[in-house]
């Protein structure tokens, strides 16, 4: 089986990276991790990558005066490792339009909200403050605007009475760890197509019926 070569970009903890490492360990998973790249030398996720025997690279943004030069260095590393799909997994730098264009439809991101609600940072605190009944996560193709782009998969989780930022974040994170490997699988299998700016997944089953929160 020819496996799709992933380049995973991280800045920190790397729990989504870990979920992808676990998925890719299955012999029938259609993607493999070709490179884990961090902009921060101290990212905990680098340790996870090394422990899994993966190639790693650090491109420290502090060494670059210009964003374009930083992005060019990342691009070089990705091409050196023959990366076919870039997965942003907690990567905390904005990428230049040129870089995004170069990887258009070949770069995805995971965001901890039900986009287009709550783009940007502090999603869980903002969801709690807004009193929404569902939170969740989104995996989407990357476009130049932050947290925008065709949606591949979303998971909704209920916001429960008594939730704080940490408890909600933990519930969403569990959903993230299921969604990201699934989205990568669909792309690697050639089943995720962008049609009129929206993603169609060939042969994806319909989910169970809607939830109501609070329950009756
Ligand atoms: C996740 O919540 C992801 O959705 C967001 O940043 C966080 C990264 O967490 N983009 P981790 O580094 O994967 O643990």
């Amino acid at each position: 089986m020819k496996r799709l070569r992933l380049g995973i970009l991280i800045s920190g903890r790397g729990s989504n990276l870990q979920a992808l490492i676990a998925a890719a360990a299955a012999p029938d998973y259609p993607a493999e991790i070709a490179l884990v790249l961090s902009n921060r030398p101290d990212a905990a996720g680098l340790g996870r990558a090394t422990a899994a025997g993966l190639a790693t690279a650090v491109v420290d943004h502090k060494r670059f005066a210009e964003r374009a030069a930083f992005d060019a260095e990342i691009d070089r590393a990705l091409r050196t490792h023959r990366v076919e799909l870039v997965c942003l997994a907690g990567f905390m730098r904005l990428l230049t339009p040129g870089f995004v264009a170069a990887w258009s439809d070949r770069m995805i991101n995971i965001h901890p909200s039900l986009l287009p609600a709550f783009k940007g940072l502090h999603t869980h605190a903002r969801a709690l403050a807004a009193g929404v009944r569902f939170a969740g996560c989104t995996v989407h193709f990357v476009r130049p605007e932050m947290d925008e782009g065709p949606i591949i998969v979303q998971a909704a989780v209920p916001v429960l009475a008594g939730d704080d930022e940490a408890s909600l974040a933990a519930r969403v994170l569990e959903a993230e760890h299921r969604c990201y490997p699934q989205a990568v699988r669909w792309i690697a299998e050639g089943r995720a197509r962008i049609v009129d700016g929206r993603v169609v997944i060939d042969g994806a089953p319909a989910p169970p019926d809607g939830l109501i929160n609070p329950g009756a």
Side-chain angles (χ1 to χ4, degrees):
M1 178 180 55
K2 161 98 178 67
R3 302 170 108 205
L4 190 72
R5 293 176 65 80
L6 309 177
I8 304 188
L9 268 50
I10 62 167
S11 296
R13 178 178 57 183
S15 72
N16 279 289
L17 163 67
Q18 193 72 57
L20 289 165
I21 291 172
D28 65 343
Y29 194 70
E32 63 186 325
I33 301 172
L35 177 67
V36 175
L37 185 151
S38 172
N39 66 304
R40 296 186 53 134
D42 60 349
L46 286 172
R48 301 181 191 257
T50 308
L54 299 171
T56 61
V58 174
V59 181
D60 186 346
H61 61 276
K62 293 195 193 112
R63 289 196 294 113
F64 297 84
E66 306 272 334
R67 276 187 192 274
F70 169 68
D71 286 6
E73 187 70 26
I74 293 176
D75 189 75
R76 215 177 345 267
L78 294 171
R79 289 178 198 281
T80 301
H81 288 84
R82 304 194 320 282
V83 165
E84 297 168 297
L85 178 72
V86 178
C87 302
L88 306 182
F91 185 67
M92 301 303 283
R93 305 298 297 174
L94 278 179
L95 296 161
T96 53
F99 182 92
V100 174
W103 290 91
S104 189
D105 300 351
R106 295 186 301 143
M107 177 156 60
I108 62 178
N109 179 44
I110 186 156
H111 182 74
S113 78
L114 291 170
L115 290 173
F118 308 120
K119 295 175 180 175
L121 296 175
H122 311 300
T123 52
H124 306 303
R126 287 157 60 210
L128 288 170
V132 294
R133 296 310 199 216
F134 289 96
C137 65
T138 304
V139 182
H140 63 96
F141 285 103
V142 174
R143 294 292 179 261
E145 304 77 32
M146 190 181 54
D147 299 328
E148 279 212 11
I151 291 170
I152 302 160
V153 61
Q154 293 187 305
V157 302
V159 179
L160 301 180
D163 262 341
D164 58 16
E165 211 178 328
S167 63
L168 181 57
R171 196 173 308 121
V172 172
L173 195 63
E174 242 183 80
E176 293 185 40
H177 297 162
R178 291 166 61 197
C179 286
Y180 217 176
Q182 182 61 64
V184 169
R185 172 183 280 281
W186 281 324
I187 293 169
E189 290 174 345
R191 291 168 60 192
R193 292 180 291 121
I194 302 178
V195 181
D196 293 336
R198 287 182 302 225
V199 179
V200 176
I201 310 286
D202 293 321
D209 274 351
L211 302 170
I212 297 180
N213 181 30

